[in-house]
Amino acid sequence: MSIIQPENYIKHICINNHKFSGLCHIFFNSAYVRYFEKYKLTQIVNLNTIQIYSIKLQEDAYIAVIRNGASLSAIDFEVLIYWGFTEFIVYGYACSIGNGNLGNLFLIEKAYIGEGVSRYYTNNKEKQYVVPSITLNNKILQKLSRAHKIHMANCYTTDALFMETKQLVDSLIRLKIDCIDMECSALTTISNYRNINISFIFAISDTIRNGKWEYNNKINLREALVNVLLSLYL
């Protein structure tokens, strides 16, 4: 057991010990929040590292904004689990290395481990990938299939954005990996360790094909991901 536990950490970052339950929707940037303002948005937690909001839809929903990158998001994620959330849907961007196009929506089936956090949460140091919740993925597909085109995909999670070499990308393609992100395998490994459910919905923000990188910020991917969340309720 770790010497430092979430409950000890929380005492240093938060005066109040919050209690939640059920499903939490995670984003990695506070810019998403403005898209929810017309849905009676109420801020519950406001820390430097974590913000939590409730929104009024057909039922109460919770949105958390946490830091990005495997190591920082892992700390914030552990706090959310300690506060009582048992299911998570994570929304973010990914880089397609396969057939995905800009703006496509990916629901992750397997998360291949390329970051350092996961190795601390599993005894199997040779493990290649972890699997998000199949049950939660199926629920998401059932609810979204009419309103959105969702692609099932495998991702690779990296710590090093600027070390995505052609050699690495080619090796990932041989493993039938579709995209690269920076949080998925870490948070999935933690979810499996803590026995909770998690799913990931990624919007493709950039692509790598034939050794060339393409990025296009003309597509409003934030609004697209918010619409995906709303489709789960409305």
Side-chain angles (χ1 to χ4, degrees), residues 6-22 24 42-54 62-64 76-86 88:
E7 56 264 37
N8 308 126
Y9 173 76
I10 288 169
K11 291 177 183 178
H12 294 280
I13 66 168
C14 185
I15 296 173
N16 299 315
N17 186 20
H18 299 278
K19 290 297 179 184
F20 301 96
S21 62
C24 178
T42 303
Q43 188 168 42
I44 301 171
V45 176
N46 185 19
L47 305 176
N48 289 333
T49 56
I50 303 172
Q51 294 83 48
I52 298 178
Y53 302 84
S54 66
Y62 292 100
I63 297 170
D76 299 342
F77 187 57
E78 284 274 32
V79 171
L80 295 177
I81 296 170
Y82 176 75
W83 278 340
F85 291 114
T86 55
F88 297 89

Side-chain angles (χ1 to χ4, degrees), residues 184-195:
C184 187
S185 65
L187 301 190
T188 301
T189 301
I190 295 171
S191 297
N192 294 344
Y193 181 81
R194 300 293 184 191
N195 196 28

Side-chain angles (χ1 to χ4, degrees), residues 67-121:
R67 293 173 291 179
N68 66 332
S71 59
L72 293 178
S73 65
I75 295 171
D76 299 342
F77 187 57
E78 284 274 32
V79 171
L80 295 177
I81 296 170
Y82 176 75
W83 278 340
F85 291 114
T86 55
E87 284 192 325
F88 297 89
I89 301 177
V90 182
Y91 305 79
Y93 295 171
C95 174
S96 172
I97 59 173
N99 296 321
N101 295 313
L102 297 171
N104 283 170
L105 296 172
F106 281 7
L107 181 63
I108 301 304
E109 288 187 284
K110 294 179 183 177
Y112 282 76
I113 300 169
E115 37 71 33
V117 172
S118 291
R119 300 306 178 191
Y120 291 92
Y121 283 86

Side-chain angles (χ1 to χ4, degrees), residues 109-171:
E109 288 187 284
K110 294 179 183 177
Y112 282 76
I113 300 169
E115 37 71 33
V117 172
S118 291
R119 300 306 178 191
Y120 291 92
Y121 283 86
T122 177
N123 292 324
N124 183 357
K125 307 303 181 185
E126 302 301 318
K127 196 169 190 176
Q128 274 194 304
Y129 63 84
V130 286
V131 179
S133 171
I134 296 172
T135 301
L136 188 53
N137 272 0
N138 287 338
K139 288 180 182 178
I140 291 169
L141 281 175
Q142 186 177 9
K143 290 186 177 183
L144 295 181
S145 59
R146 292 184 180 180
H148 301 275
K149 186 174 182 179
I150 305 295
H151 305 266
M152 301 304 298
N154 299 327
C155 78
Y156 173 82
T157 303
T158 182
D159 281 328
L161 175 65
F162 300 121
M163 291 303 293
E164 295 176 14
T165 63
K166 188 176 187 304
Q167 182 181 10
L168 172 64
V169 170
D170 287 346
S171 69

